[in-house]
Amino acid sequence: MINKMDASFRFEKALRAIDRLEAEKIFMESCSDTLPSIAAELLISSALERIGDDWVKGKAALSQVYMSGKICEDLINSMIPPTETVLKQSPRMAIAVLDDFHLLGKRIVYSTLRANQFDLIDYGRRSAEELIGRVKEDRIEILLISALMLPSALKVAQVSKDLKQAKVKVKIFVGGAPFNFDDTLWKEVNADGMGINAGEAIRLVSNIKGGKV
Amino acid sequence: MNSMERVLQTMQHKEPDRVPLFLLVSMHGAKELGLSIKEYFSKAEYVVKGQLLLRNKYNIDCINNFYYGPIEVEAWGGNVIYREDGPPNSGTPFIRGPDDIKTLKPPDIKNTKCLAKVLKSCSMLKAKVGDEIPILGVVMSPFSLPVMQMGFDNYLDLLYGEPELFEQLMRINEAFCVEWANAQFETGSTAIAYFDPVSSPTIIPKDLYLKTGFEVAKRTLAQINGPTATHLASGRCLSIVDEIAETGSSVVGVSALEDLSALKSACQGKLTILGNLNGVEMRRWKPEQTEHIVKECIAKAGLQGGFILADNHGEIPWQVPDEVLHAISDATQKWGNYPLDWIESGE
C-alpha cells in the first residue's frame, strides 16, 4: 500500500523540480492500488493547486506552474484511458484569449483543467465577435478568458454585455495579469468571477458543478 | 538642479533637491498630437514632439525614447499588430523550430527601418535637450526576447529541455542586444533600460535564473558602453537584488507586488529603485488617492536618494487619464522635496 501523504509530497516535489520521470514513477506507483482517475485526483489536483497558490505568494515561479501543468496534462492524456477522461462530467466549458497575442496563461489554465480531468474546448485567440459566436454555437456554460494586456481585459465587458443581451446563460471567469494587479477589474468588466491562478480556475469550475455560483 | 543633475545625484545614493519622476508615458504622445498609436510611432519626428510635450506637461525627469516592445521583433522580420487602445503586440512567432534557431541571423541595425527610426529620434532628442535631462533607450534582454521570437510556452520548453539550443539562441541575441544598446548610446541615449521580465522570480525560479538569465545579463551588460537599468516589467525582484547589482546594472525597476520598504533595505547603496506605482490600478485613481499613494512611496523609499518614482511596469497604460498623471506629478512636487523632514515628523 502506497502512503498517500508521502506520495503526494513526493509528486509535488517532482513537479516543482520539473522532474517528469520521477512524477511519472510516483503516479504509476499510486495507480498500482487504485484507479488512475482516482490517483490523479489525489495527486494532481492538490499539487497543482498548491503550486499555483505559491506562485501568487511569490514562492513559486510561473515556469514551474506551466511545466507542472504540462507534465500532469501529459500524464492524464497518456495514462488514463479515454473513457475515463470525462469522468467529472464537466459543464460545457471553453477557454480563450480575447484579442491578445499572449497565450501562456490560457495554456496553463487549459493544462491544469485537463490534468484535473475537466473537458473543455480551446478556442485559442479570438476577437470579441468571434468568441460570442462560438459560445452561442457550442452552447457553452462556462467561458474562461485569459488576458495579459489591459485593453484585452477591458474587452471582456463587451463580450459579457453582448452575451447577456442575447440571453445566453454562460458564466464568464477571467484571469491574467491585469486582473491580478487590479482586484476590482473583473467586476468592472461584468465577469462572474476571477481566478488569480490556475488552481482557482479549478475551484471556480468545481463550484459551478456544486451549484455554489 | 536640472533633471540630469537630480537623477545622477540620486543614483549616487545621495539626496538631490527632489525625488526624480520618470513618468514612463510612450503612447500618450499620440494623444498629445491627436494621432493614432500606429501613426504616432511611424515617424521619429512625432515621437520627439510627443516626448518633449509630455516632459513639459508633467515635469518628467527623463525623455523616454521607447516606442514599443515588439519593435525588436519587427527588426528580426516578425510582424507587429497595432491596436487603437494599447501597445502593439508581436504577432505569430518567427522561430518555429530548432532549425530556425540554427540559421537565425540578427538584423543589421542601421539598415533596419524601424530601428533606424529609434536612433533618429534619439539623436533629434539629444540635439533638443543636450545634457539637461537623461534620454532613456530600451533594449529587450537577450534572455527575454525569445518570448516574442518563439512564443512563451515554446521558450519555456526550450529553457528546460534544450540547453544547447538555448545557449545558441542566447549568443545570437546577446550580440544583437549589445550592438543595439551601443547604437543608442552613440546617438545620444544617456542610459539603457534592459527589459528582462523572464529573469524575475515571478517567471523562473532563482536557481534557474542563476544558471541562465544572470549569466546572460553579466555577459551582455559588460559589453554595453553606458549605464543600464534592469527592468523586470512588474515582476518580483527582491530575492535577486544582489545578483542584479552584480550584473552591473545600477537601477532596478521594481514591482507593486513587493513592499517598497523591504526593497529599499535590500537595494540600499547597491541599486537605485525605479517604481513602483501600479499602472493597472492607476487608471481609476482619484486625485486625493493618487497623492496619498505617491506620498507613501516617497516615505518608504525616498530617504538617502537611490529612488526614482515611476510606474512598476515601465509603460503607463493608454487608459490612464491626464488628471491622474497630473496628480502624480503634483504630488511629487509637493512631497518629494528634500530633505524629507515630513517623514520623521509623521506628517
Side-chain angles (χ1 to χ4, degrees):
Chain A
M1 181 83 171
I2 305 294
N3 179 326
K4 290 187 172 55
M5 285 297 286
D6 179 54
S8 174
F9 173 76
R10 287 190 295 123
F11 184 74
E12 185 180 330
K13 195 177 165 196
L15 290 182
R16 285 178 191 264
I18 325 297
D19 189 341
R20 182 182 286 268
L21 293 177
E22 178 68 5
E24 277 175 11
K25 188 178 143 207
I26 298 163
F27 188 73
M28 289 296 282
E29 283 170 6
S30 295
C31 289
S32 65
D33 65 349
T34 187
L35 281 173
S37 57
I38 293 170
E41 193 152 339
L42 288 170
L43 293 181
I44 291 177
S45 302
S46 55
L48 291 183
E49 281 191 40
R50 280 197 295 270
I51 293 169
D53 287 345
D54 274 356
W55 177 69
V56 175
K57 294 175 198 159
K59 293 178 180 173
L62 191 69
S63 65
Q64 290 170 303
V65 178
Y66 165 68
M67 295 300 288
S68 301
K70 200 176 164 194
I71 291 170
C72 292
E73 182 191 4
D74 290 346
L75 274 176
I76 289 291
N77 288 341
S78 66
M79 297 174 75
I80 298 181
T83 51
E84 289 194 48
T85 59
V86 287
L87 280 182
K88 290 193 178 178
Q89 298 174 341
S90 327
R92 294 181 71 81
M93 183 160 55
I95 187 165
V97 294
L98 186 56
D99 270 349
D100 198 322
F101 288 80
H102 300 85
L103 303 177
L104 187 71
K106 174 186 71 65
R107 180 82 176 84
I108 288 171
V109 176
Y110 179 85
S111 290
T112 304
L113 286 167
R114 282 292 302 131
N116 281 274
Q117 303 171 73
F118 286 101
D119 205 18
L120 73 165
I121 305 171
D122 184 353
Y123 284 155
R125 182 178 60 242
R126 297 280 168 180
S127 68
E129 201 174 48
E130 286 169 343
L131 188 57
I132 291 162
R134 288 299 305 266
V135 167
K136 287 181 188 170
E137 194 181 317
D138 296 333
R139 291 176 286 114
I140 294 301
E141 297 162 276
I142 298 177
L143 176 63
L144 303 158
I145 301 177
S146 167
L148 184 76
M149 308 293 287
L150 177 60
S152 305
L154 292 170
K155 275 207 168 174
V156 174
Q158 186 198 331
V159 173
S160 176
K161 185 179 158 205
D162 289 357
L163 285 170
K164 275 175 186 138
Q165 273 180 355
K167 300 197 182 338
V168 177
K169 285 190 179 171
V170 58
K171 295 283 184 193
I172 299 176
F173 296 132
V174 293
F179 299 104
N180 291 359
F181 275 93
D182 183 351
D183 59 11
T184 66
L185 183 57
W186 68 275
K187 289 180 186 163
E188 184 185 328
V189 299
N190 292 316
D192 296 290
M194 77 157 274
I196 199 163
N197 59 30
E200 284 202 354
I202 301 170
R203 288 192 279 270
L204 285 167
V205 171
S206 300
N207 283 345
I208 287 274
K209 276 176 63 71
K212 291 181 191 166
V213 175
Chain B
M1 278 183 168
N2 63 28
S3 293
M4 184 72 88
E5 291 163 341
R6 187 171 297 129
V7 172
L8 289 175
Q9 182 88 344
T10 206
M11 284 178 64
Q12 288 165 20
H13 300 272
K14 293 176 188 165
E15 294 184 350
D17 59 340
R18 168 174 63 70
V19 169
L21 173 65
F22 281 15
L23 209 49
L24 298 173
V25 272
S26 50
M27 295 169 283
H28 285 71
K31 285 187 187 175
E32 293 299 315
L33 301 186
L35 300 171
S36 69
I37 291 170
K38 185 175 183 179
E39 216 177 346
Y40 176 69
F41 287 127
S42 70
K43 284 191 178 177
E45 289 80 359
Y46 292 151
V47 173
V48 170
K49 200 171 175 184
Q51 276 299 309
L52 293 173
L53 283 170
L54 289 165
R55 189 265 164 130
N56 290 332
K57 186 171 179 179
Y58 300 117
N59 280 311
I60 306 171
D61 287 306
C62 71
I63 296 284
N64 184 19
N65 191 40
F66 171 63
Y67 282 53
Y68 44 88
I71 201 161
E72 291 187 24
V73 169
E74 192 178 345
W76 288 74
N79 64 327
V80 169
I81 293 146
Y82 286 87
R83 56 188 311 153
E84 291 174 1
D85 54 359
N89 276 193
S90 54
T92 309
F94 59 88
I95 296 178
R96 296 188 179 90
D99 287 345
D100 290 340
I101 293 176
K102 288 171 189 162
T103 57
L104 194 63
K105 293 267 185 294
D108 173 4
I109 288 168
K110 285 174 185 161
N111 291 312
T112 303
K113 207 175 159 187
C114 59
L115 301 182
K117 188 170 54 185
V118 176
L119 297 178
K120 184 179 176 186
S121 55
C122 188
S123 60
M124 289 170 72
L125 284 163
K126 183 70 178 174
K128 294 269 185 193
V129 302
D131 293 327
E132 186 205 327
I133 179 167
I135 299 171
L136 285 188
V138 170
V139 295
M140 286 302 297
S141 83
F143 185 60
S144 294
L145 185 62
V147 171
M148 291 189 283
Q149 290 176 311
M150 60 193 301
F152 212 154
D153 49 353
N154 292 330
Y155 181 44
L156 290 177
D157 292 341
L158 179 89
L159 195 54
Y160 279 104
E162 301 276 359
E164 284 175 18
L165 264 183
F166 164 75
E167 278 301 328
Q168 198 170 343
L169 181 58
M170 288 306 104
R171 298 294 170 171
I172 299 166
N173 284 355
E174 284 170 28
F176 168 73
C177 181
V178 168
E179 201 185 336
W180 177 220
N182 287 338
Q184 293 184 67
F185 276 121
E186 282 162 23
T187 49
S189 282
T190 318
I192 292 288
Y194 179 83
F195 265 82
D196 194 17
V198 179
S199 283
S200 164
T202 300
I203 306 296
I204 59 167
K206 183 174 178 177
D207 57 350
L208 183 58
Y209 164 68
L210 291 176
K211 287 185 271 186
T212 56
F214 176 53
E215 295 297 329
V216 171
K218 278 196 294 186
R219 290 196 297 260
T220 305
L221 299 186
Q223 298 175 73
I224 292 178
N225 303 325
T228 54
T230 294
H231 208 302
L232 304 181
S234 67
R236 291 181 170 90
C237 71
L238 194 51
S239 64
I240 58 166
V241 158
D242 288 344
E243 286 77 13
I244 290 173
E246 206 183 314
T247 64
S249 254
S250 42
V251 178
V252 61
V254 302
S255 173
L257 297 173
E258 291 182 314
D259 177 58
L260 205 46
S261 301
L263 288 161
K264 179 72 177 181
S265 299
C267 293
Q268 190 92 45
K270 287 181 270 194
L271 288 166
T272 292
I273 290 173
L274 179 74
N276 71 345
L277 302 173
N278 184 331
V280 177
E281 267 188 9
M282 196 185 282
R283 191 176 49 90
R284 56 177 176 77
W285 286 351
K286 303 288 176 234
E288 272 183 24
Q289 181 188 11
T290 306
E291 181 177 344
H292 173 76
I293 291 166
V294 167
K295 189 179 168 189
E296 196 179 10
C297 283
I298 293 172
K300 285 182 172 181
L303 287 171
Q304 297 173 52
F307 177 58
I308 298 169
L309 185 68
D311 76 295
N312 86 145
H313 193 73
E315 185 180 55
I316 305 252
W318 170 259
Q319 289 76 10
V320 175
D322 280 10
E323 67 173 28
V324 173
L325 299 176
H326 275 301
I328 293 170
S329 176
D330 292 347
T332 311
Q333 305 289 328
K334 182 174 174 184
W335 296 104
N337 295 306
Y338 287 102
L340 302 173
D341 294 336
W342 56 268
I343 296 176
E344 284 182 11
S345 66
E347 194 177 328

